[in-house]
Amino acid sequence: MFKDFRKKFIGNKGFYKMVMSMVVPMILQMAVTNLVSLIDNIMVGRLGTEPMSGVSIINQFVFVFNVTVFGAVAGPSIFGAQFFGKGDHEGQKYTFRFRLLVCAMIICIAAVICLMFGAPLISLFISKESETAQASAILQSGMDYLKIIIVGFIPFGIGQAYSSAARECGHTKAPMAAAMSAVGLNVILDYCLIFGKFGFPEMGVRGAAWATVIAKTFEALVVIVWTHSHPDKNKYVIRLYQGFHIPARLMADITKKGIPMLVNEFLWSLGMSIVMQCYSVRSTEVVAARNISSTITNLFSSVYIQMGACIAIIVGARLGANKLKEARDLDNKLLFFAVVAAAVVGLITLPISSVFPKLYNTEDTVRSLASYMIIIQALAMPLWSYTNACYFTLRSGGKTGITFLFDFGFTWFLMIPLAAILSYFTNLDIRIVFAVVTFSEVVKVAIGYFMVRSNVWVKNIVNDI
């Protein structure tokens, strides 16, 4: 029995060498990016609860934007990965052009929404129980941060288009190097601009926003310059901007597969922000505690999130090369590896739960609640890892309609109603509410298991294009 289990779920040394060579740079890139957010968050947290809460609320909007961009490049990336596996560089070029156009559209829409409706959106996250002065301070901090951080939408969107294309070709080190080169710059600028050090003006939350914008611009430029200076490794960039032609049939196919993913990512991220809004009605302290807990959890979540992205690339390339049986076998091993890795990371996170909140200049009640939330999220990591891996497995075979129901359906028809009912209509302690909503992920695990097991995703979608 163990022998069969080992054959199905555990790979050989060559398998782990191949996976680690690809996923480690991807994890480091995302971890470094999240580390910047963590440091940024801690520094803002030193300013007090109100500035931290204001920035935290804006980061919910930024989260929705970032995930929507991720969804925008995901659809074309399905085709890009399979085109790469097929050796069709012209096909990759078309998918790259498509994602640039979609990212540009999302940047414009997001900027208009934030500029026109920023204040009302921020107010939704401020508890009615907050004192007038406190609510006003949170709103002001949020608006100060939002007006600047919008500029960073441009380099982030374009940078994601380039980074996703580089990863399709197995070039994960360049995006990683770009992220790592930006982190030092961001930390230095944070320190200088937030607190007014080394002759720089003391700008508070506005300084944090400018530091992030400058760092993201630098990161995007590094990836763009590397991509165009290495046409031998990125053949799709040859004559990339000599016209912007995309075959009508391919555009229709990408749109058909990609739009559900874009809408899914947008609605999922929006749904998670609504869940956060449900928590926030309890008190401003909950917003601050959630901000602290999510910051450290996001850093460690880089492991399982990028394991999922790795599954999409590795399995997608095998499907594109028509190696269907090999793709299924690799997926089994990658799913198991992703869950084990997340469990290890969760265990590492647990002892940090009581230490990390002390870095913030906030009330003891906020620190205590944040510590509890970190523990709950650490315990949930293996569940999140499995559902994330299932999502990318289904996506690798172009089953975007199913992934739409998998992500959107669960979030909007279970998580949001559960969070709303428990937060608005019961007197349950916020700790119980948070734990119940978080561990509702078990339902999604069961759904994901049966979807992946059905093998409906084992399909070559570019063979006839």
Side-chain angles (χ1 to χ4, degrees), residues 372-394:
Y372 172 83
M373 288 179 168
I374 293 171
I375 292 172
I376 294 298
Q377 290 171 135
L379 295 174
M381 279 188 188
L383 304 178
W384 291 338
S385 181
Y386 183 77
T387 54
N388 181 66
C390 288
Y391 171 85
F392 279 100
T393 294
L394 296 167

Side-chain angles (χ1 to χ4, degrees), residues 236-315:
Y236 60 89
V237 301
I238 298 174
R239 295 186 297 276
L240 176 64
Y241 293 109
Q242 291 183 12
F244 224 74
H245 171 68
I246 304 172
R249 181 184 171 186
L250 177 60
M251 180 174 280
D253 286 340
I254 295 177
T255 301
K256 182 180 177 180
K257 297 289 184 183
I259 291 301
M261 298 189 70
L262 189 158
V263 174
N264 173 70
E265 297 295 341
F266 168 71
L267 291 177
W268 174 79
S269 58
L270 180 62
M272 297 308 293
S273 293
I274 292 174
V275 170
M276 171 64 180
Q277 193 278 329
C278 290
Y279 295 149
S280 71
V281 300
R282 291 301 185 92
S283 68
T284 299
E285 285 73 19
V286 175
V287 176
R290 185 73 182 91
N291 172 60
I292 295 171
S293 66
S294 62
T295 300
I296 189 65
T297 304
N298 288 344
L299 177 63
F300 289 105
S301 294
S302 304
V303 174
Y304 74 77
I305 290 174
Q306 293 298 56
M307 278 297 301
C310 183
I311 288 173
I313 295 169
I314 293 174
V315 176

Side-chain angles (χ1 to χ4, degrees), residues 57 83 96 113 176 257 268 313 360 421 438:
I57 292 170
F83 275 130
F96 183 78
I113 291 174
M176 177 196 70
K257 297 289 184 183
W268 174 79
I313 295 169
Y360 290 79
I421 291 170
T438 300

Side-chain angles (χ1 to χ4, degrees), residues 5 8-9 57 73 80 99 129 151 194 227 235 245 251 268 288-289 292 322 345-346 362 384 413 440 442 455:
F5 177 86
K8 185 175 182 179
F9 295 109
I57 292 170
V73 302
R99 75 190 78 184
E129 305 299 322
V151 180
I194 293 175
T227 300
K235 297 184 186 298
H245 171 68
M251 180 174 280
W268 174 79
I292 295 171
N322 233 31
V345 171
T362 188
W384 291 338
F413 296 114
S440 65
V442 172
N455 289 334

Side-chain angles (χ1 to χ4, degrees), residues 50-51 53-55 57-58 119 122-123 126 132-147 205-206:
E50 287 75 20
S53 297
V55 172
I57 292 170
I58 298 305
I122 294 171
S123 297
I126 301 175
T132 303
Q134 184 183 43
S136 178
I138 293 172
L139 179 61
Q140 185 61 53
S141 295
M143 287 303 297
D144 287 346
Y145 190 80
L146 178 62
K147 291 174 183 177
V205 295
R206 291 182 293 111

Side-chain angles (χ1 to χ4, degrees), residues 47 148 188-211 214:
L47 299 175
I148 298 168
I188 293 170
L189 289 175
D190 267 337
Y191 183 67
C192 293
L193 295 175
I194 293 175
F195 304 111
K197 303 295 182 179
F198 303 112
F200 285 87
E202 184 177 346
M203 301 174 69
V205 295
R206 291 182 293 111
W210 278 120
I214 294 169

